[in-house]
Amino acid sequence: MRLSQGQLNLLETCPRKFQHTYLEQLGSPTTPDQQARLMLGSRFHLLMQQWEMGLPVEPFVREDEQLNQWFMAFVGAAPRILELDAPTFRQSEHQRTLEVEGHLLTVVYDLLVMSDCQAQILDWKTYPKPLKSRQLAENWQTRLYPFVLAQTSHYDPQQISMTYWFFQSKSGEDADPQSLKFSYSSAAHQQTQRDLTELLQRLSGWIDRYEQGESFPQVAEGSKQCADCSFALRCQRGDGQQATVRLPNFAEIQEISL
């Protein structure tokens, strides 16, 4: 399978939901507000790609005040965001793939900047900076993106870092972008390789058994994952009151590749 960080997160959280979503193509309903947020996030990423390529951005910022506010915040913080040592390579929406355990892992870097001695992955987020950085550190995006770069380049893990830039304040008011930087290491690389191998081996086994008519495993009954899952009835969990539309954590939503 071709897998992204979002799919790995879901697979680790609930294998049965992964089955419903990706093998059976059963989509969860989204509200108009959710759709609007996703579209706005996608437009911001396209805006940043246009800017990085030296293309006009006025049509984007002229038509949407929120995009304009985020972009002006980026321009104001750009010297701090792009404070990089003599880059030899710089590209937005840079895609890399890596085969692991028979599955093809795909990553898309919002901006990848490389110099002789370091590589920096920058990622734009249009939701507020999380209060707990540990949650983001354990997310598969934070783990997979440096891992793939280390595996597909000449950089040692300790020469790689990943920085998230958040363009929305908690209060919703205009504010300078906030950031979270995660430095990579050989220890983190080895641990990610072990965890990836184990997870993908389990996935291969689940797929083999699924083709024989056996469903993917479920989380433990009574898990908080089931409380607001739109597949609760299909999984025979809850009494129907729980089968409500889930309002997602936008930090978990896979971004759209442009």
Side-chain angles (χ1 to χ4, degrees):
M1 293 187 66
R2 179 181 291 270
L3 299 169
S4 67
Q5 54 88 11
Q7 289 167 303
L8 292 179
N9 281 320
L10 181 55
L11 182 64
E12 194 168 60
T13 301
C14 180
R16 182 66 64 85
K17 190 172 183 178
F18 179 94
Q19 169 192 317
H20 292 327
T21 303
Y22 294 108
L23 299 185
E24 299 169 346
Q25 297 291 301
L26 301 175
S28 300
T30 58
T31 66
D33 182 61
Q34 289 171 295
Q35 293 174 354
R37 287 175 180 266
L38 289 172
M39 182 60 69
L40 185 60
S42 298
R43 285 176 57 80
F44 180 73
H45 279 75
L46 181 57
L47 167 64
M48 295 298 288
Q49 184 182 18
Q50 291 273 105
W51 179 85
E52 179 64 27
M53 296 173 65
L55 299 176
V57 298
E58 287 77 11
F60 286 90
V61 299
R62 185 172 58 244
E63 296 175 2
D64 194 305
E65 181 57 30
Q66 180 64 83
L67 286 181
N68 183 55
Q69 290 178 6
W70 287 344
F71 183 68
M72 289 299 99
F74 167 78
V75 170
R80 178 164 53 103
I81 295 174
L82 303 175
E83 190 176 7
L84 309 167
D85 296 333
T88 57
F89 177 88
R90 175 170 165 168
Q91 187 177 79
S92 63
E93 297 299 317
H94 179 82
Q95 179 173 308
R96 291 191 176 219
T97 57
L98 175 69
E99 184 179 350
V100 179
E101 294 295 324
H103 299 281
L104 194 63
L105 303 174
T106 302
V107 299
V108 180
Y109 305 128
D110 287 346
L111 182 62
L112 176 63
V113 183
M114 300 187 292
S115 65
D116 291 336
C117 59
Q118 66 174 329
Q120 298 194 43
I121 302 165
L122 304 181
D123 194 84
W124 320 127
K125 296 300 184 189
T126 55
Y127 55 82
K129 179 182 177 181
L131 295 177
K132 297 180 179 179
S133 60
R134 181 176 179 180
Q135 182 180 7
L136 190 55
E138 295 173 349
N139 188 283
W140 269 111
Q141 182 176 13
T142 307
R143 305 176 67 194
L144 184 67
Y145 278 31
F147 176 82
V148 171
L149 184 58
Q151 291 290 100
T152 59
S153 71
H154 67 277
Y155 294 100
D156 292 330
Q158 57 268 22
Q159 295 177 302
I160 297 172
S161 65
M162 180 165 184
T163 304
Y164 293 96
W165 283 95
F166 303 88
F167 290 88
Q168 186 178 128
S169 66
K170 286 289 184 182
S171 64
E173 299 175 353
D174 293 342
D176 291 336
Q178 296 181 299
S179 65
L180 275 176
K181 182 176 181 178
F182 296 93
S183 298
Y184 206 42
S185 67
S186 296
H189 188 74
Q190 293 168 8
Q191 185 62 54
T192 298
Q193 181 146 33
R194 288 192 293 268
D195 293 344
L196 259 181
T197 299
E198 180 181 350
L199 183 60
L200 296 179
Q201 286 177 346
R202 291 205 305 267
L203 173 60
S204 295
W206 291 334
I207 291 175
D208 289 342
R209 291 189 289 276
Y210 176 77
E211 292 174 347
Q212 301 301 318
E214 180 180 334
S215 293
F216 278 37
Q218 293 176 285
V219 296
E221 192 161 0
S223 169
K224 63 180 181 180
Q225 301 295 335
C226 301
D228 55 2
C229 178
S230 58
F231 296 117
L233 282 180
R234 177 175 289 273
C235 294
Q236 298 180 334
R237 295 290 174 86
D239 58 3
Q241 297 299 319
Q242 298 172 325
T244 57
V245 175
R246 184 189 178 205
L247 297 179
N249 178 350
F250 289 97
E252 300 174 354
I253 294 178
Q254 180 182 354
E255 293 170 355
I256 301 172
S257 300
L258 301 171

